[in-house]
Amino acid sequence: MRVESYDVFWLLTLALPFVLPGTYYTILWRRLFSSGDPLQSNTLQIIISGLPADTLPEARATEPTGTVPFLLSRFSSYTGKRKKKKKMKLGKVELCHFLQLVALFLCFSGMSQAELSRSRSKPYLQSGRSRTKRSWVWNQFFVLEEYMGSDPLYVGKLHSDVDKGDGSIKYILSGEGASSIFIIDENTGDIHATKRLDREEQAYYTLRAQALDRLTNKPVEPESEFVIKIQDINDNEPKFLDGPYTAGVPEMSPVGTSVVQVTATDADDPTYGNSARVVYSILQGQPYFSVEPKTGVIKTALPNMDREAKDQYLLVIQAKDMVGQNGGLSGTTSVTVTLTDVNDNPPRFPRRSYQYNVPESLPVASVVARIKAADADIGANAEMEYKIVDGDGLGIFKISVDKDTQEGIITIQKDLDFEAKTSYTLRIEAANKDADPRFLSLGPFSDTTTVKIIVEDVDEPPVFSSPLYPMEVSEATQVGNIIGTVAAHDPDSSNSPVRYSIDRNTDLERYFNIDANSGVITTAKSLDRETNAVHNITVLAMESQNPSQVGRGYVAITILDINDNAPEFAMDYETTVCENAQPGQVIQKISAVDKDEPSNGHQFYFSLTTDATNNHNFSLKDNKDNTASILTRRNGFRRQEQSVYYLPIFIVDSGSPSLSSTNTLTIRVCDCDADGVAQTCNAEAYVLPAGLSTGALIAILACVLTLLVLILLIVTMRRRKKEPLIFDEERDIRENIVRYDDEGGGEEDTEAFDMAALRNLNVIRDTKTRRDVTPEIQFLSRPTFKSIPDNVIFREFIWERLKEADVDPCAPPYDSLQTYAFEGNGSVAESLSSLDSISSNSDQNYDYLSDWGPRFKRLADMYGTGPESLYS
């Protein structure tokens, strides 16, 4: 099976070796518009590829005479077959076409290439037939991509030597895209493409073709494989996959400094033509930058580009295929180039001199002024250092730099005094921390300015001659004695007189006084070193003309010790002696303490009192180290005889004059074990009868506990039986008879009960005063009775009870719930009590009271209407 072509193709192929010897050239052409005769088509596409002669080993092996005889033999055999079908003559028109093809080949031989391969047929054995050798075939087709025609695109033609043209052979196609993209005419072997092809999606298709006997449907030749390559056209523009770009380059860079490289990719075939050959150009950004046409490297094109003048540039870079020729496709991207800063600008002060006014009362470390030298650079290139290089305030002021604002901060190191100096002059220098040596030729990277500081006079408070006055006084000093003197003066030129006083917040007990004019400090109370050894007081000094100006001085008064405290036991001793103690045995070691603090330390002397010196039970030994030992003088101590001994001990200190005290040591007799450890010291245990055992004691204790439990149960039950203070709604209070067996003292008993409390519920109650709270000044007034609205009576009642609970000294110190049963007043039926009828104009007759006996005589006299009535 082979690909059918035309005689012109072989003529051109035959002529090429003579034009360019040593190379085998093939030309594949096909019509773009299907028509009967290829020579009649209007458009021809020529694909030219050059192969070295030694790349055709099969041809050389088959045709020993070389390439040209092979082509001639192929041409002769093919033209012979053509003559059988139709005799072809080369007339003037055909010759003209042939010469045109030769000229086109000579023009485009170096630009367009296509590969033409050939394969040799394999031996094919059929039963009853001898082995035959297949002819040479072309196994590649070329198809243009992006065909937009309405008819199927003609690809090529397959033909088998077995095909005699009688229709007995049919051709079938299989492989990639068979039937879906490529179809074959089973009678003629013509291959067409039915869909638009895109080389960027798939560059080639591998198909298989086979010739079958139409009657038996058996192959007449082995299956042949061929490739349809999609021929590229320039249908893809270059694209910048990494764009847009951002880059930076230092300012003041020389010409040709590389900035960034841009890269554009073209999806077209880079091995065919110039469709994928890209060149770069700059559309925007000139004359500052340029781009390498082949590499896409962007470089600086102007020297001394200053960031301070313009710090950012926007470039537009174009990539165009077809080596930049007309008709090529192009793509663009943007490149933002930022000029990075270098230290090319020195600092400069905006002014040659500055002046600031500060009050003399400004405290140390306060900020006097802020100055800043301007620097057009940024970041680390604008960091500066300030220093005072000259002036009369070198020791008074200092300057530092603010890391955030790069300002020079002038602060005070010492107190200012208008009376001593009224102004200062400083010469300050500002310089870059890191200067760039490349730009030192532009000038010094530093600048100086003059700062004048004017000190303003202010009314200052009095100043003490010393910040602290240490004083000493004996705790035995008398009230009114002089301790020391403080002195303060007005630092202003007016020199106003000063008055002194003590800040009582530092002398709450008012131990000291100070003379307002002289500043002499005296004692106001007796001092006790053991209570407070050091008194730190603050003395205030005020100007007489302006009391708001107050100075403060500090006085530390140390109280000197005298021997005014007698020694005493260092602790409460619990001394025991065993019943089996031996004579001379140490039973206790004692020591003493003294609240005084003598300069040479304490020295105590121990002895027994005169009354206890001759006792026969215990003795004392002074250890001469501020301790003493208590020893036994005999043995045979028994608890039954005496369980406790009291030993008076006399202690004397070494003060001048010396003080002494008598301390009693309590010694208990105990039953001890063999090691001398006390087991029990209870002497009452021996008083119990001998027959009372431990079991009897336990039984007695159990009985006592049982009685206690019974008593608790009885009390609990009685509490539950008590009626509640507030009656239930269902209970009728008329069923309860409250009986009182209490007879008053009559009318003369005016202190038994206050009748006004019964007549008015709104009587003011006398509040109790808590003993643990300092009472406030209370203004007592006579109780006034006024009509209170019914809607506030309960609120006032609760408020009064709350105040009583707050000031009640017996109230618990925690929150408690208090329940009050209060009915209120203002009943529609008014009061039913007869106690209030004395003040009312009632018409009720109470004469019957005189018939009730002598006990009601007083009531009958009060409410009766007879002639004996008190109010008649």
Side-chain angles (χ1 to χ4, degrees):
M1 186 183 302
R2 67 177 181 276
V3 177
E4 290 288 349
S5 185
Y6 299 93
D7 299 341
V8 178
F9 179 82
W10 290 107
L11 291 175
L12 180 60
T13 305
L14 181 63
L16 291 181
F18 296 96
V19 178
L20 296 174
T23 306
Y24 174 66
Y25 284 83
T26 62
I27 301 174
L28 173 64
W29 64 279
R30 66 177 180 275
R31 57 188 177 182
L32 299 178
F33 302 93
S34 301
S35 60
D37 193 348
L39 294 179
Q40 297 176 357
S41 60
N42 295 327
T43 304
L44 298 176
Q45 180 180 6
I46 302 175
I47 301 174
I48 307 164
S49 62
L51 298 175
D54 55 1
T55 60
L56 301 173
E58 296 182 357
R60 294 184 179 275
T62 307
E63 306 291 343
T65 57
T67 302
V68 176
F70 163 71
L71 293 173
L72 289 174
S73 63
R74 295 298 296 168
F75 177 73
S76 300
S77 61
Y78 185 71
T79 54
K81 294 179 181 180
R82 294 282 297 176
K83 288 178 182 180
K84 292 180 181 180
K85 296 182 179 180
K86 182 178 178 180
K87 186 175 181 181
M88 180 179 178
K89 295 182 180 180
L90 292 176
K92 295 181 179 180
V93 178
E94 288 78 1
L95 182 60
C96 182
H97 282 295
F98 174 74
L99 294 178
Q100 289 176 354
L101 292 174
V102 173
L104 288 173
F105 165 74
L106 294 177
C107 293
F108 299 105
S109 60
M111 297 174 59
S112 302
Q113 299 183 12
E115 186 179 318
L116 181 63
S117 302
R118 59 189 180 84
S119 62
R120 187 165 186 166
S121 62
K122 298 180 181 179
Y124 181 69
L125 298 179
Q126 294 182 348
S127 59
R129 297 183 182 180
S130 60
R131 177 170 178 256
T132 60
K133 184 176 77 172
R134 293 186 56 202
S135 303
W136 290 94
V137 297
W138 293 347
N139 61 350
Q140 281 191 3
F141 292 100
F142 295 87
V143 181
L144 279 177
E145 65 173 336
E146 305 294 343
Y147 171 69
M148 305 298 295
S150 58
D151 298 330
L153 178 63
Y154 180 76
V155 178
K157 183 180 182 64
L158 297 178
H159 184 74
S160 176
D161 293 340
V162 182
D163 189 0
K164 304 302 182 182
D166 54 0
S168 61
I169 303 299
K170 69 173 181 179
Y171 299 93
I172 62 173
L173 193 65
S174 62
E176 293 179 318
S179 300
S180 59
I181 300 177
F182 302 101
I183 59 174
I184 188 171
D185 190 332
E186 65 178 10
N187 296 323
T188 63
D190 292 332
I191 303 175
H192 292 81
T194 60
K195 294 183 179 180
R196 182 177 63 86
L197 302 175
D198 189 359
R199 189 202 67 83
E200 286 71 39
E201 294 182 0
Q202 188 166 349
Y204 63 90
Y205 296 85
T206 302
L207 294 96
R208 294 179 298 278
Q210 195 167 32
L212 303 178
D213 188 283
R214 189 177 294 277
L215 297 177
T216 63
N217 205 29
K218 293 183 178 181
V220 297
E221 285 189 5
E223 186 179 56
S224 296
E225 186 178 276
F226 63 95
V227 175
I228 298 178
K229 288 190 174 182
I230 310 304
Q231 186 177 350
D232 184 46
I233 64 172
N234 190 18
D235 60 340
N236 291 278
E237 72 278 2
K239 294 182 180 180
F240 292 90
L241 301 180
D242 297 331
Y245 295 84
T246 57
V249 64
E251 62 175 333
M252 299 296 177
S253 297
V255 176
T257 302
S258 178
V259 179
V260 68
Q261 182 178 14
V262 297
T263 304
T265 58
D266 196 321
D268 292 326
D269 189 359
T271 63
Y272 175 73
N274 297 323
S275 299
R277 295 182 62 186
V278 178
V279 294
Y280 301 93
S281 61
I282 183 169
L283 301 182
Q284 179 181 326
Q286 295 175 332
Y288 305 103
F289 298 93
S290 62
V291 62
E292 288 287 340
K294 294 183 179 180
T295 61
V297 176
I298 300 175
K299 299 180 179 180
T300 57
L302 283 181
N304 300 329
M305 285 191 292
D306 192 2
R307 185 199 65 83
E308 288 72 32
K310 185 177 181 180
D311 62 345
Q312 198 172 77
Y313 296 85
L314 180 63
L315 313 182
V316 178
I317 306 298
Q318 174 183 269
K320 190 174 184 180
D321 57 13
M322 298 299 293
V323 202
Q325 297 177 2
N326 293 333
L329 303 179
S330 64
T332 60
T333 187
S334 63
V335 181
T336 303
V337 179
T338 303
L339 297 183
T340 58
D341 186 55
V342 297
N343 194 6
D344 59 338
N345 293 280
R348 291 290 181 264
F349 283 105
R351 296 164 55 183
R352 293 292 90 191
S353 63
Y354 298 86
Q355 180 173 321
Y356 298 97
N357 295 343
V358 295
E360 63 174 336
S361 60
L362 202 63
V364 175
S366 299
V367 177
V368 175
R370 287 175 174 262
I371 59 174
K372 183 178 182 180
D375 193 332
D377 297 322
I378 58 175
N381 298 319
E383 293 182 357
M384 281 176 282
E385 293 178 339
Y386 296 89
K387 60 181 179 180
I388 302 175
V389 296
D390 196 7
D392 54 359
L394 292 177
I396 307 298
F397 303 93
K398 72 173 183 177
I399 188 168
S400 59
V401 62
D402 189 332
K403 301 296 183 181
D404 297 328
T405 62
Q406 297 301 317
E407 291 179 314
I409 305 175
I410 302 175
T411 55
I412 300 177
Q413 283 186 302
K414 295 182 180 179
D415 291 327
L416 301 178
D417 189 1
F418 173 83
E419 288 72 25
K421 190 173 180 60
T422 60
S423 65
Y424 297 88
T425 301
L426 307 175
R427 187 164 183 82
I428 298 176
E429 179 186 74
N432 282 133
K433 291 180 65 176
D434 301 314
D436 195 332
R438 297 176 299 172
F439 306 104
L440 292 179
S441 59
L442 300 178
F445 277 73
S446 63
D447 194 18
T448 59
T449 188
T450 301
V451 178
K452 186 174 183 180
I453 299 175
I454 305 299
V455 181
E456 297 178 345
D457 186 23
V458 296
D459 190 4
E460 298 176 278
V463 178
F464 283 87
S465 59
S466 174
L468 178 65
Y469 293 89
M471 300 180 182
E472 294 181 349
V473 61
S474 173
E475 63 177 328
T477 187
Q478 299 297 321
V479 175
N481 286 356
I482 298 176
I483 302 175
T485 305
V486 297
H489 69 282
D490 184 7
D492 298 322
S493 57
S494 61
N495 195 14
S496 175
V498 176
R499 294 183 62 84
Y500 302 94
S501 64
I502 295 178
D503 186 357
R504 291 305 175 183
N505 292 325
T506 60
D507 185 24
L508 296 176
E509 301 295 334
R510 297 180 177 268
Y511 284 109
F512 307 98
N513 289 328
I514 188 170
D515 188 273
N517 297 318
S518 63
V520 175
I521 300 175
T522 58
T523 58
K525 286 184 178 181
S526 299
L527 304 177
D528 186 8
R529 189 204 63 83
E530 289 71 33
T531 304
N532 192 353
V534 178
H535 295 266
N536 294 306
I537 62 174
T538 300
V539 178
L540 306 180
M542 295 175 290
E543 294 184 8
S544 300
Q545 299 177 359
N546 187 6
S548 61
Q549 296 296 332
V550 179
R552 296 178 181 273
Y554 302 97
V555 180
I557 301 176
T558 303
I559 309 302
L560 301 179
D561 186 40
I562 63 172
N563 190 20
D564 58 345
N565 291 277
E568 56 187 10
F569 278 156
M571 57 181 295
D572 293 333
Y573 294 100
E574 295 182 359
T575 307
T576 61
V577 59
C578 296
E579 291 181 320
N580 55 358
Q582 300 298 321
Q585 180 178 343
V586 177
I587 60 173
Q588 183 66 60
K589 188 176 183 180
I590 60 175
S591 62
V593 293
D594 193 335
K595 295 180 180 179
D596 297 322
E597 290 185 0
S599 57
N600 297 326
H602 291 288
Q603 181 63 47
F604 301 114
Y605 305 96
F606 300 89
S607 63
L608 295 178
T609 61
T610 305
D611 298 339
T613 302
N614 298 322
N615 77 90
H616 303 286
N617 301 312
F618 305 99
S619 63
L620 183 144
K621 178 185 178 182
D622 193 342
N623 298 324
K624 306 300 182 181
D625 58 353
N626 292 338
T627 63
S629 299
I630 307 300
L631 298 89
T632 59
R633 282 187 171 183
R634 67 179 180 86
N635 57 3
F637 293 96
R638 296 188 61 80
R639 286 176 292 169
Q640 294 86 345
E641 297 177 356
Q642 185 175 350
S643 61
V644 179
Y645 293 89
Y646 299 99
L647 184 65
I649 300 176
F650 187 70
I651 307 176
V652 182
D653 62 13
S654 59
S656 178
S658 62
L659 298 179
S660 62
S661 65
T662 300
N663 299 264
T664 302
L665 181 66
T666 301
I667 304 174
R668 294 184 178 276
V669 180
C670 299
D671 181 21
C672 302
D673 58 9
D675 297 329
V677 178
Q679 298 297 318
T680 177
C681 300
N682 188 6
E684 287 75 13
Y686 291 92
V687 181
L688 296 176
L692 191 59
S693 63
T694 304
L697 293 175
I698 295 175
I700 294 173
L701 182 60
C703 293
V704 172
L705 291 177
T706 304
L707 290 175
L708 290 177
V709 171
L710 291 175
I711 293 172
L712 290 176
L713 289 175
I714 293 171
V715 172
T716 304
M717 295 300 293
R718 288 190 176 182
R719 286 187 178 180
R720 289 185 179 181
K721 289 181 180 181
K722 286 184 179 181
E723 295 295 334
L725 295 177
I726 301 177
F727 297 100
D728 298 335
E729 295 179 357
E730 298 179 357
R731 301 184 61 181
D732 189 355
I733 61 174
R734 292 175 296 182
E735 298 176 0
N736 299 318
I737 299 176
V738 181
R739 186 168 183 176
Y740 298 96
D741 192 9
D742 186 12
E743 182 176 354
E747 185 178 2
E748 290 78 14
D749 189 3
T750 58
E751 296 181 359
F753 190 82
D754 188 3
M755 298 295 293
L758 297 177
R759 297 191 182 98
N760 194 338
L761 294 175
N762 302 317
V763 65
I764 297 178
R765 299 176 180 271
D766 185 16
T767 58
K768 299 179 182 179
T769 302
R770 297 185 65 139
R771 290 171 294 179
D772 57 341
V773 179
T774 302
E776 298 179 356
I777 299 176
Q778 299 179 356
F779 296 93
L780 301 179
S781 60
R782 297 181 61 185
T784 58
F785 305 96
K786 60 180 180 178
S787 177
I788 299 177
D790 295 337
N791 58 348
V792 298
I793 185 63
F794 291 98
R795 183 163 56 247
E796 291 190 358
F797 176 79
I798 296 175
W799 180 249
E800 290 175 4
R801 295 301 185 272
L802 179 61
K803 289 193 295 183
E804 289 180 5
D806 289 340
V807 299
D808 188 5
C810 299
Y814 49 80
D815 294 337
S816 61
L817 178 63
Q818 300 192 22
T819 305
Y820 301 102
F822 178 61
E823 182 180 358
N825 60 359
S827 174
V828 178
E830 297 183 351
S831 178
L832 301 178
S833 175
S834 61
L835 298 177
D836 211 21
S837 59
I838 187 172
S839 60
S840 64
N841 297 324
S842 175
D843 296 332
Q844 186 175 357
N845 188 2
Y846 296 100
D847 294 339
Y848 60 89
L849 294 175
S850 59
D851 300 334
W852 287 7
R855 291 189 178 184
F856 297 92
K857 184 178 183 301
R858 178 63 62 183
L859 289 176
D861 294 339
M862 293 174 59
Y863 293 93
T865 57
E868 297 180 359
S869 176
L870 293 176
Y871 299 97
S872 58

